[in-house]
Amino acid sequence: MKISEGGVSKAKSRAQSTWRDYAPSRPWKTVGVRSVSGPCLVRVTTSRTRGLPALPRAARTRDSGTDSCRQLEVAVAEHLTPLNAGFLGVEDSDHNVSMATGTLAVLDGPVPDHASLQATLAERLRGCPRFGQRLVRHALDLSAPEWVDDPHFDLAHHIGRVAAPSPGGDAELHAVVADVMSWRLDRNRPLWEIWVISGLSGDRWALLMKVHHCIADGTAAAHMLTGLSDNGFAHLAAHAAAATTPQGRPVLDLNPVHWMYNLRGVVEFATSLLQQSASSLNGPITSRRRYSAARVRIDDIEQVCRVFDVTVNDVVLAALTESYRDFMIRRGQVPQPDSLRTLVPVSSTSRNGPGNLDSRVSLLLPRLPIEESNPVKRLLAVRSRLAQAKAGGQRHAGRAVMSAAGLLPVAWSAWAARLLGQVHQRGVVALATNVPGPSEPLQIMGCDVIAVLPVPPIAMQLRTGVAVLSYAGELFVGVLADFEFAAVDELTRGLEAAVARLVARSKRRKPLRDWHGLALVHSA
């Protein structure tokens, strides 16, 4: 399904070919859209209000319950880091790739008045000055891209409204999400969009926040969504300050002992990328996307972790492996030991105070045991293979590579990212990442947020990307896939069924150890 941008920047040429504007003189548009099931009509609404002329670097807010105002000074990093500039390079390498990450909040209750909602969002977005800035790139990437205030900032280019087709169920909502995530953000404007999605069944509506990866990863995007919630301004401002405060250049570890240890992991990494995997899960991607989501209770995950002495990551990856396995078997393919080498970002994030995230990211490339048919043996094999990947130096090697990328000149990192994006790699077939989300239920304009779904990007010929986000006692798994990968719903339903099978098996066994909680990301 292709939908209009509804006031969001019209630089989305791939989608424009399917738009038909029936009422250009009115403050809303009815457009014809193309969907898998045939043509349908949706209603797209946008306000005429310009909104913020430019988001200030000093955001002023009123403390809840008091009449006093406090001034929040936000320091702004003027240049993009080489690592984040690499995300632009990956996007440049393939015109079908969009490196935007998304967070979808589903809310209970009627949709607020659009003018009031836009005014509320505008006020809360003032806590993040990056939302009023655009990137300026230099010729041949000889200097790092700069963040500059957009003198022509218009909120109407960034906040749009669309109604999902009837009957407004999860399938229709996911189709809207897939279409919005398929087009690139306009680099001539600040790199974000917010979509208000109405027309959902059960008296629901949704808010989709789409942000370029060079601004925020999935974790930061989840924090930004928290900041848009009622009484969440301080949270958004704190994380905006942390995200935009100039960071020192990464320090490269020159200890030869450490580098000898990391060398083994680097060799493993390079070998994995060059190997040809026996899988149909990667290959060229198109300009369109599909999206689906799964939902499981954290209590159920905790039950499995307690009984089998595993982590949340182990359970999710084991369930995902079973779902991929069933997908291959249904298509007459025989799962092989190398059929599911998966890129797993590993976060070793330390918190040094409220809103201050010291985030270090590394990478693992484990071979998930897709050849194993027994659910419990598969779960234990996942635990073992992740441990082996870390013990073998992959985690430290991945961190060293990421640190080295931050030390490269911008021109080199941009060139390397574009080259990497053009490599027809067949060694990695999937991406799976975990994002810790809000632990307490949220509200936006008095409406309860009943679900928060992550939306990862896909690139480098990976036809599926999987993101897991925790929210208020549940785990939400979002799968973004290339449009030619029609089995995206099979993956999410299969994952839910795989978790249910592990829960059933766990109830027949006694716990292997006392379990005192869970962590959604690996710790260093």
Side-chain angles (χ1 to χ4, degrees):
M1 178 176 66
K2 289 294 181 182
I3 54 179
S4 166
E5 34 65 60
V8 182
S9 170
K10 295 185 179 180
K12 310 170 180 70
S13 59
R14 296 193 305 276
Q16 282 179 340
S17 62
T18 64
W19 299 346
R20 288 184 290 146
D21 190 351
Y22 287 96
S25 62
R26 304 180 67 175
W28 54 267
K29 300 177 183 178
T30 303
V31 296
V33 297
R34 184 178 62 205
S35 72
V36 179
S37 58
C40 54
L41 293 179
V42 297
R43 177 166 169 160
V44 181
T45 309
T46 180
S47 171
R48 300 286 189 191
T49 308
R50 266 189 73 82
L52 306 175
L55 293 176
R57 296 187 183 181
R60 190 171 179 84
T61 183
R62 186 175 299 275
D63 289 325
S64 58
T66 69
D67 292 330
S68 62
C69 291
R70 56 188 175 87
Q71 192 77 10
L72 175 67
E73 299 294 338
V74 180
V76 177
E78 297 297 336
H79 290 85
L80 202 62
T81 65
L83 183 58
N84 285 333
F87 294 124
L88 298 178
V90 170
E91 201 172 64
D92 291 338
S93 68
D94 187 342
H95 67 276
N96 289 327
V97 168
S98 169
M99 287 302 295
T101 183
T103 306
L104 176 70
V106 182
L107 299 101
D108 191 18
V111 186
D113 172 73
H114 190 64
S116 300
L117 179 60
Q118 182 167 274
T120 299
L121 293 177
E123 180 62 28
R124 294 175 183 180
L125 288 170
R126 291 180 186 274
C128 188
R130 191 67 80 227
F131 284 178
Q133 296 178 323
R134 64 182 182 88
L135 276 176
V136 175
R137 301 183 73 176
H138 300 276
L140 303 178
D141 291 316
L142 295 179
S143 180
E146 294 180 72
W147 292 107
V148 299
D149 292 336
D150 184 2
H152 306 294
F153 180 83
D154 187 346
L155 199 64
H157 287 298
H158 299 272
I159 299 181
R161 185 163 179 164
V162 60
S166 178
D170 288 344
E172 289 74 28
L173 172 61
H174 295 165
V176 172
V177 172
D179 281 325
V180 172
M181 298 303 296
S182 67
W183 62 60
R184 292 184 178 184
L185 292 163
D186 183 0
R187 292 192 187 175
N188 293 318
R189 304 184 189 279
L191 296 174
W192 64 275
E193 296 173 355
I194 291 179
W195 283 82
V196 181
I197 306 173
S198 60
L200 302 182
S201 60
D203 196 27
R204 301 174 302 155
W205 61 287
L207 201 66
L208 174 59
M209 190 169 190
K210 177 181 176 182
V211 183
H212 199 282
H213 210 299
C214 71
I215 296 179
D217 59 10
T219 301
H223 287 307
M224 290 178 178
L225 178 66
T226 303
L228 295 180
S229 64
D230 300 345
N231 299 322
F233 176 85
H235 187 94
L236 173 65
H239 285 283
T244 57
T245 300
Q247 299 178 355
R249 291 176 63 84
V251 178
L252 194 61
D253 187 357
L254 299 179
N255 188 319
V257 176
H258 293 173
W259 271 100
M260 288 298 293
Y261 178 72
N262 290 339
L263 181 61
R264 176 184 172 188
V266 171
V267 172
E268 289 180 13
F269 235 88
T271 303
S272 300
L273 290 175
L274 295 175
Q275 286 178 342
Q276 298 296 307
S277 181
S279 175
S280 61
L281 297 174
N282 57 6
I285 60 177
T286 67
S287 61
R288 300 182 65 192
R289 302 288 181 264
R290 296 181 190 267
Y291 180 75
S292 186
R295 183 174 188 166
V296 295
R297 297 173 61 248
I298 286 183
D299 286 345
D300 289 341
I301 302 290
E302 181 177 347
Q303 163 78 15
V304 177
C305 292
R306 192 165 49 239
V307 171
F308 295 110
D309 191 18
V310 294
T311 67
V312 173
N313 278 345
D314 296 335
V315 177
V316 172
L317 289 176
L320 184 63
T321 301
E322 178 174 326
S323 188
Y324 276 118
R325 172 185 168 84
D326 292 342
F327 160 81
M328 295 183 68
I329 292 175
R330 280 191 294 267
R331 283 152 182 80
Q333 303 172 20
V334 179
Q336 301 295 329
D338 61 346
S339 295
L340 192 60
R341 185 176 282 276
T342 303
L343 184 64
V344 182
V346 179
S347 173
S348 55
T349 301
S350 64
R351 295 180 181 269
N352 302 316
N356 186 8
L357 290 180
D358 176 18
S359 181
R360 295 184 178 91
V361 178
S362 186
L363 301 170
L364 295 179
L365 269 176
R367 283 192 182 95
L368 296 182
I370 195 171
E371 74 281 4
E372 176 58 59
S373 59
N374 183 282
V376 175
K377 290 182 179 179
R378 186 187 305 116
L379 173 62
L380 299 180
V382 167
R383 180 186 64 180
S384 175
R385 293 187 186 187
L386 287 176
Q388 289 175 3
K390 290 185 288 185
Q394 276 193 20
R395 180 181 61 181
H396 298 283
R399 184 181 301 167
V401 169
M402 300 291 278
S403 298
L407 293 169
L408 289 175
V410 172
W412 291 15
S413 65
W415 174 83
R418 285 193 289 269
L419 179 63
L420 186 62
Q422 293 173 354
V423 171
H424 298 290
Q425 66 86 20
R426 302 282 292 180
V428 183
V429 299
L431 165 72
T433 180
N434 282 345
V435 176
S439 59
E440 299 297 328
L442 303 177
Q443 283 191 333
I444 296 179
M445 295 190 70
C447 296
D448 292 331
V449 178
I450 58 178
V452 179
L453 311 179
V455 189
I458 56 174
M460 294 176 58
Q461 300 203 17
L462 302 181
R463 288 177 172 165
T464 59
V466 181
V468 183
L469 185 145
S470 63
Y471 171 66
E474 293 187 288
L475 284 183
F476 296 90
V477 182
V479 180
L480 189 72
D482 181 68
F483 190 81
E484 299 302 319
F485 187 87
V488 62
D489 289 325
E490 290 183 34
L491 288 183
T492 52
R493 301 292 77 79
L495 187 145
E496 290 175 340
V499 171
R501 274 188 284 273
L502 286 173
V503 172
R505 294 289 185 97
S506 70
K507 291 180 178 179
R508 300 183 219 161
R509 297 196 180 192
K510 293 181 179 180
L512 297 180
R513 66 180 173 97
D514 291 332
W515 199 67
H516 303 289
L518 55 89
L520 281 175
V521 293
H522 293 284
S523 57

